Amino acid sequence: MIAAVESVGLGKRFGRRWALRDCTVTIPAGEVVGLVGPNGAGKTTLLHLAVGLLAPSVGTIRVLGGRPGSGQAQISKVGFVAQDAPVYGHLSVADHLRMGEYPNPSWDRALAEGRIRQLGLDPRQRAGSLSGGQRAQLALVLAVAKRPELLVLDEPLASLDPLARREFLQGLMEVVASQGVSVVLSSHQVADLERVCDYLIVLADSRVRLAGEVPDLLAEHVRLSGPRRDPSSLPSDQTVIEAGHTDKQSVMLVRTRQPVLDPAWTAMSVTLEDLVLAYLKTPEPSEASTRPRLEVAR
Amino acid sequence: MIRLAALQFRAQALVAGIGLVVLAIVLAVTGPHLVHLYDATVAACGAGGDCASARSAFLQTDHALRLALSVLMVVVPGLIGLFWGAPLVAREFETGTYRLAWTQVHHSRWLVVELGLVGLASMAVAGLMSLMVTWWASPIDSAKHAIYASFEQRNLVPIGYAVAAFALGVLIGVLVRRVIPAILLTLVGFVALQLLFLNFVRPNLLPPSHQTTAITRESAMKGDWSYGSSTGLLGTSGPSTLIPPPPAIRNAWVYSTRLVDRSGAPLTPSALAQACPLLGAGSSGSGGGAGIGGGETRVRSTNGAALEDCVTKIGATYHELVTYQPARHYWPLQWTELAIYLALAVGLGGCGVWAVRRRLA
């Protein structure tokens, strides 16, 4: 199966500053993928490279098997909602729909007009007078009405109030459900992603720190608390992501595919937000290979 | 795609259209009167009238409107560069709407169509304006006998200026990506381009003609001879010398009027001082002005007779050499200049497309 986005050693430099460096990531198709990371992690740069708004300085990126920005066919296959949902203030909502319709042969006029009606937008209204939430919705309509194979959304929720955020995600989920489109959605707010994403990628300093199906990630991570001990004394199939200690107690976030057998620990499940924050806090993944394995004694 | 470009351009097109209509009305109202007046005074003077005074009287009519039209013809191509060219891409970057436009339409296609449509509109606006003004001013131009004086405001060349200014603005907008700096840089760039062309390119497009005139006692008495120095491009004054009166060649663009001997050597200050030792003494004042191409500072001698003597004496060895572009070169120069500016516009536009491509793909 062709990945939605696949990059190898991808880097983008503006002058002497690297906005994205040595980024190797595979974003699967057919899923709603959340891309999380702190500000400046390179999310926007990566997404701009994916939709052909930037050319890579080094490395390669393929989107749906094609080179981004290679031609109108590639443009038509990928819908994009840019950060802050830019629109032409002096043009009307209907003008914006025409702007999407003229160049895209796959444009679905009924879908576009239907969604505008559903949103309660007046086609004659100037886009400059729309609220932030309405602008984001218009941008989403423009991106989905060309019936793309991949929908890329760059921080679509950042500037929306909680109600608008909820409505936007609802609109997005309707589209995903009815069109079966692949989605890549970036955000620095994990709570928003938790409700909609099947797959999560954590990006920090251009590097992929964590990638996987959301249910698997939640199942594989566990928070352990118990008497104080050195993290390096844990069995080798348990990777310590984050550890905190008091005089007597230790609390650790651990990744493991095995059940936790040590009776000294109390194991608790974690939320996606805890998980992401733990990964972003620790600079480098801990090495597990040198530590002893804990075996079941028979 | 053309419809898409038209969608974004219609507001500017409307402004330009209104401007052209207003201009057409003003010129249509005032134009016939000018033609009538020309027929009644200048054209009629051939039958025994005083043609010189009829012409100078006619050239005083509609002075304010003529000045306004001159300003318009010089300024409008620049304005097209500043307000259609510079913001075309710069505004997309500044407001971030390029992220919307270029993920709906491939950027090369978008840019080529925008350049084509707005570029053609620039040419149409400048062309129509030039056509109207050239028609309106034709009685004045034919009375003035100085077609080169309004060379850049008539006929074909304004079309080239407008489209070159537009393309320059687009390229600067692509490189600077901010509207106000792009507008300012386009202004500076276009003025510099025009000055460079006026001073260094246009004079060398076609080889000039020469006319030699012997200096006699009659010509010394008749003409408006003076003694002074010509001012160069940067305000530098050359050595004082004898300046012949402006040559009376109809519709000529005079490069220079010099005094040379039979071998072609110019009159040197020492030779002049030797022939006329009294010249320059007791000078009464200076006048004249410096234009773009340089001017002259004239120092008239109080003693007209001394000047006459001097000119006659110099005339024995020296003659007057006028270097000029004749009237028959007017249209070849118009076409050549238009072609150069069109090529420049295509080149600048191409650079703009290339610069966007380099950034994006």
Side-chain angles (χ1 to χ4, degrees):
Chain A
M1 180 166 188
I2 296 172
V5 178
E6 187 157 35
S7 78
V8 179
L10 186 67
K12 177 66 193 178
R13 195 177 52 196
F14 295 107
R16 294 174 63 185
R17 188 181 64 85
W18 286 91
L20 188 74
R21 200 168 194 173
D22 194 22
C23 179
T24 299
V25 60
T26 302
I27 300 178
E31 305 207 56
V32 179
V33 178
L35 184 65
V36 216
N39 294 328
K43 299 190 298 288
T44 293
T45 306
L46 176 61
L47 295 184
H48 278 194
L49 286 161
V51 298
L53 287 177
L54 286 174
S57 303
V58 292
T60 57
I61 179 164
R62 311 289 288 179
V63 172
L64 301 167
R67 195 171 59 79
S70 56
Q72 185 62 39
Q74 182 76 18
I75 299 276
S76 293
K77 279 201 289 190
V78 182
F80 182 55
V81 175
Q83 192 164 6
D84 305 325
V87 292
Y88 291 98
H90 61 285
L91 294 184
S92 70
V93 170
D95 287 337
H96 278 82
L97 296 188
R98 281 181 207 115
M99 233 174 68
E101 180 169 2
Y102 294 156
N104 291 298
S106 57
W107 185 262
D108 187 338
R109 184 189 286 187
L111 172 77
E113 286 174 354
R115 284 207 65 83
I116 292 295
R117 217 173 310 124
Q118 200 184 332
L119 293 164
L121 295 180
D122 178 0
R124 287 164 304 176
Q125 192 178 350
R126 280 169 165 243
S129 63
L130 296 174
S131 72
Q134 289 172 321
R135 245 189 16 236
Q137 292 281 16
L138 174 61
L140 180 63
V141 171
L142 291 173
V144 300
K146 62 183 185 182
R147 292 218 166 256
E149 290 173 40
L150 170 67
L151 192 55
V152 179
L153 303 100
D154 187 10
E155 296 273 4
L157 309 169
S159 56
L160 303 185
D161 61 53
L163 182 64
R165 200 176 288 181
R166 194 163 161 181
E167 286 171 350
F168 184 89
L169 285 178
Q170 201 178 339
L172 178 64
M173 294 328 286
E174 283 168 20
V175 169
V176 171
S178 64
Q179 292 193 22
V181 59
S182 304
V183 177
V184 180
L185 172 66
S186 82
S187 180
H188 55 260
Q189 282 168 315
V190 190
D192 293 321
L193 297 180
E194 195 162 1
R195 277 187 281 162
V196 293
C197 293
D198 315 321
Y199 194 97
L200 189 78
I201 296 173
V202 178
L203 200 68
D205 294 331
S206 308
R207 303 298 178 103
V208 176
R209 292 297 317 276
L210 177 68
E213 301 283 345
V214 171
D216 293 351
L217 292 177
L218 290 175
E220 283 171 13
H221 289 81
V222 63
R223 188 179 295 283
L224 302 176
S225 60
R228 185 183 169 117
R229 66 189 278 187
D230 183 6
S232 62
S233 68
L234 286 180
S236 64
D237 61 356
Q238 296 180 355
T239 308
V240 179
I241 308 303
E242 185 192 29
H245 307 280
T246 61
D247 283 348
K248 291 179 178 169
Q249 274 227 316
S250 286
V251 178
M252 295 182 207
L253 186 80
V254 169
R255 182 176 196 175
T256 178
R257 289 196 166 81
Q258 307 300 321
V260 176
L261 301 168
D262 193 329
W265 290 117
T266 311
M268 285 177 297
S269 62
V270 293
T271 65
L272 202 58
E273 188 156 10
D274 294 338
L275 196 67
V276 170
L277 286 176
Y279 272 91
L280 292 180
K281 255 191 270 176
T282 42
E284 282 297 317
S286 320
E287 272 305 321
S289 55
T290 56
R291 287 185 274 129
R293 286 183 67 84
L294 183 69
E295 308 236 352
V296 180
R298 290 175 197 273
Chain B
M1 177 58 222
I2 289 173
R3 286 180 298 175
L4 170 57
L7 203 64
Q8 295 186 323
F9 181 61
R10 67 189 171 193
Q12 288 117 301
L14 189 68
V15 172
I18 290 171
L20 284 175
V21 169
V22 169
L23 181 68
I25 290 170
V26 170
L27 297 187
V29 167
T30 55
H33 167 68
L34 212 56
V35 175
H36 177 74
L37 196 66
Y38 179 83
D39 289 342
T41 59
V42 182
C45 79
D50 180 2
C51 272
S53 58
R55 275 178 52 211
S56 62
F58 176 69
L59 289 175
Q60 294 304 311
T61 47
D62 279 338
H63 195 80
L65 185 56
R66 274 164 48 200
L67 192 70
L69 289 177
S70 286
V71 171
L72 202 66
M73 289 305 295
V74 169
V75 161
V76 164
L79 291 182
I80 286 175
L82 301 191
F83 296 108
W84 288 8
L88 189 83
V89 179
R91 179 167 297 138
E92 297 287 333
F93 277 118
E94 193 172 282
T95 60
T97 43
Y98 76 101
R99 296 173 296 166
L100 173 63
W102 298 347
T103 50
Q104 295 287 1
V105 191
H106 191 255
H107 51 85
S108 292
R109 201 167 141 209
W110 184 93
L111 204 55
V112 167
V113 174
E114 289 278 348
L115 278 172
L117 181 86
V118 187
L120 284 177
S122 309
M123 293 169 72
V125 168
L128 284 172
M129 210 173 77
S130 177
L131 190 69
M132 291 192 282
V133 171
T134 302
W135 165 79
W136 185 87
S138 58
I140 294 165
D141 291 346
S142 61
K144 216 173 183 178
H145 297 165
I147 45 173
Y148 284 103
S150 51
F151 183 84
E152 49 281 280
Q153 302 171 24
R154 305 277 188 271
N155 304 113
L156 305 171
V157 289
I159 299 171
Y161 302 156
V163 72
F166 168 71
L168 179 71
V170 171
L171 175 61
I172 289 175
V174 168
L175 297 177
V176 179
R177 285 188 272 136
R178 318 231 357 126
V179 175
I180 299 297
I183 286 177
L184 294 178
L185 283 173
T186 304
L187 177 63
V188 172
F190 186 62
V191 169
L193 172 69
Q194 292 283 68
L195 286 183
L196 284 176
F197 199 94
L198 178 68
N199 285 295
F200 300 107
V201 181
R202 193 190 298 158
N204 299 315
L205 287 180
L206 288 179
S209 301
H210 299 282
Q211 177 182 286
T212 54
T213 321
I215 303 167
T216 61
R217 178 122 208 132
E218 288 73 48
S219 62
M221 284 166 68
K222 194 171 63 185
D224 186 21
W225 288 79
S226 60
Y227 176 75
S229 62
S230 49
T231 315
L233 191 59
L234 301 171
T236 51
S237 283
S240 288
T241 187
L242 206 55
I243 302 169
I249 311 171
R250 270 198 181 191
N251 288 327
W253 170 21
V254 177
Y255 288 11
S256 67
T257 309
R258 289 175 304 152
L259 300 176
V260 293
D261 65 15
R262 258 171 224 99
S263 65
L267 175 65
T268 60
S270 58
L272 181 63
Q274 214 171 9
C276 325
L278 288 175
L279 206 62
S283 53
S284 66
S286 65
I292 287 163
E296 10 179 80
T297 309
R298 288 169 178 241
V299 185
R300 288 295 307 264
S301 168
T302 39
N303 192 340
L307 191 64
E308 262 175 50
D309 280 348
C310 174
V311 170
T312 316
K313 216 183 283 178
I314 292 290
T317 3
Y318 291 88
H319 59 267
E320 197 183 316
L321 175 68
V322 182
T323 308
Y324 70 106
Q325 221 39 275
R328 69 187 148 82
H329 282 176
Y330 181 86
W331 281 104
L333 280 172
Q334 280 270 339
W335 281 108
T336 312
E337 191 157 327
L338 174 67
I340 290 173
Y341 271 92
L342 287 181
L344 196 65
V346 171
L348 290 168
C351 286
V353 175
W354 175 80
V356 168
R357 282 191 80 102
R358 207 179 59 116
R359 184 179 160 83
L360 267 74

